[in-house]
């Protein structure tokens, strides 16, 4: 059995969350998975702020004008940021942050929890960019850029797992296009 496919087909974006509390230990295990993600040149430029405080989660949501409030019901929000000060690291910052976030989404599914990527790059907040406002809220030092959030919580909506029939198999070309 392709165990990884079993996991990836069940992972869906979950945007409604129940009230169950996720143990810190589970979040810790999920973050361990994120830290195994490959990064360009192995520089490991991706950093995270794990936010559990509900008031802070609401404030972070308010940093995204359109759709930020969708994180309000989450039990944890992972703020994914990448070191972009250094020109060399900056070249691959989106790729580095994205692959780590994908690892988080899969790890969350492994624990039977729900998660959703909430986009931050190039999004606007109340006064400035969402990135600037979130970094200011969380005291992030200069030199980092927030790529996205991953909202995590108990699943409060059922989403059908993907099946072979859903796959865009035509997107895969062999030997030549
Ligand atoms: C780069 C990227 C940005 C996304 N931004 C958001 C977002 O801001 N808000 C949201 O609810 N979902 C967001 N999503 C989730 C997608 O909407 C979702 O993955 C897509 O609709 C497919 O559904 P699935 O995740 O259930 O397979 C984003 C996903 C990606 C990969």
């Amino acid at each position: 059995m392709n165990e990884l496919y079993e996991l990836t087909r069940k992972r869906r974006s979950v945007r409604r969350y129940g009230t169950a509390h996720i143990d810190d230990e589970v979040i810790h295990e999920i973050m361990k998975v994120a830290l195994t993600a490959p990064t360009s040149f192995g520089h490991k430029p991706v950093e995270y702020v794990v936010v559990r405080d509900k008031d802070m989660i609401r404030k972070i949501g308010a940093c995204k004008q359109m759709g930020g409030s969708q994180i309000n019901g989450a039990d944890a929000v992972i703020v994914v940021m990448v070191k972009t000060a250094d020109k060399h690291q900056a070249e691959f910052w989106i790729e580095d942050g994205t692959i780590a976030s994908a690892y988080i989404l899969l790890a969350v599914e492994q624990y039977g929890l729900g998660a959703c990527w909430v986009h931050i790059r190039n999004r606007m907040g109340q006064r400035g960019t969402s990135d600037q406002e979130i970094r200011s809220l969380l005291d992030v030092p200069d030199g980092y850029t927030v790529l996205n959030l991953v909202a995590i919580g108990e699943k409060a909506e059922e989403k059908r797992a993907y099946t072979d029939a859903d796959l865009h198999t035509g997107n895969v070309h062999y030997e030549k296009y």
Side-chain angles (χ1 to χ4, degrees):
M1 192 180 57
N2 184 343
E3 287 176 14
L4 187 55
Y5 177 51
E6 288 307 305
L7 183 68
T8 60
R9 74 186 192 85
K10 280 190 278 182
R11 183 223 55 82
R12 299 296 311 275
S13 292
V14 172
R15 300 178 178 85
R16 286 208 299 275
Y17 311 103
T19 52
H21 177 72
I22 304 166
D23 282 349
D24 284 339
E25 187 53 34
V26 169
I27 298 290
H28 184 69
E29 290 298 314
I30 289 169
M31 296 318 296
K32 275 167 57 179
V33 173
L35 293 170
T36 66
T39 59
S40 169
F41 293 100
H43 280 321
K44 303 284 177 194
V46 190
E47 299 197 23
Y48 312 87
V49 179
V50 178
V51 181
R52 308 293 312 258
D53 179 77
K54 298 288 180 285
D55 193 42
M56 184 56 95
I57 287 175
R58 266 191 299 278
K59 285 182 183 160
I60 292 171
C63 294
K64 184 178 177 185
Q65 246 177 43
M66 302 276 287
S69 61
Q70 76 179 88
I71 70 170
N72 286 357
D75 192 52
V77 169
I78 315 297
V79 180
V80 181
M81 64 195 70
V82 189
K83 218 177 269 172
T84 43
D86 178 293
K87 223 175 120 194
H88 189 60
Q89 289 168 333
E91 187 181 355
F92 300 103
W93 79 278
I94 296 176
E95 292 86 344
D96 288 339
T98 300
I99 196 161
S101 299
Y103 273 42
I104 294 174
L105 293 174
L106 290 175
V108 168
E109 178 57 42
Q110 178 108 55
Y111 282 94
L113 297 166
C116 190
W117 172 305
V118 178
H119 204 63
I120 294 299
R121 185 175 66 85
N122 289 347
R123 294 294 176 265
M124 292 308 293
Q126 305 305 323
R127 291 164 305 282
T129 64
S130 302
D131 161 59
Q132 286 163 344
E133 293 185 5
I134 292 171
R135 281 189 292 109
S136 159
L137 261 184
L138 300 175
D139 297 334
V140 178
D142 288 345
Y144 290 83
T145 308
V146 178
L147 178 65
N148 65 292
L149 314 171
V150 182
I152 304 174
E154 177 193 12
K155 290 181 185 178
E157 59 177 334
E158 269 312 310
K159 289 251 179 113
R160 184 177 66 78
Y162 291 120
T163 67
D164 285 1
D166 296 305
L167 305 182
H168 291 214
T169 50
N171 288 6
V172 184
H173 311 274
Y174 295 93
E175 311 303 348
K176 279 193 174 186
Y177 192 96

